[in-house]
Amino acid sequence: QVITASQDKDAKIWCSSSGECLHSLCGHADVVRSAAFSPEGRLALTASDDQTGRVWCTETGECLSTLAGHQDALRSAAFLSH
């Protein structure tokens, strides 16, 4: 799987072999600047100009939590790898 971030306010999870869109990660109110998979691949993290990050389930595309508290746009998303 691969993940993309877009100016359309969504991120998408794709099948890397077929190019099929598996999930659209919708819910940000502005441009999504960055997206990343967790090391084990079960979660995704997005960073947006709407001043939030969001944690997503990669199996369902459901938003699990919204990370709010920044006073400006987020530019990067990353997980700590062990």
Side-chain angles (χ1 to χ4, degrees), residues 7-61:
Q7 291 189 29
D8 67 5
K9 304 178 188 174
D10 297 337
K12 293 186 184 290
I13 298 174
W14 307 84
C15 175
S16 57
S17 58
S18 71
E20 174 188 3
C21 180
L22 302 174
H23 298 291
S24 291
L25 308 180
C26 305
H28 282 291
D30 208 335
V31 173
V32 179
R33 296 287 177 184
S34 182
F37 285 118
S38 63
E40 76 286 345
R42 291 191 302 254
L43 301 173
L45 174 64
T46 54
S48 173
D49 280 4
D50 69 6
Q51 302 177 6
T52 68
R54 289 181 181 245
V55 179
W56 307 84
C57 173
T58 59
E59 287 187 26
T60 65

Side-chain angles (χ1 to χ4, degrees), residues 17 39 42 63 71 74-75 77:
S17 58
R42 291 191 302 254
C63 181
Q71 299 302 310
L74 278 67
R75 296 289 186 224

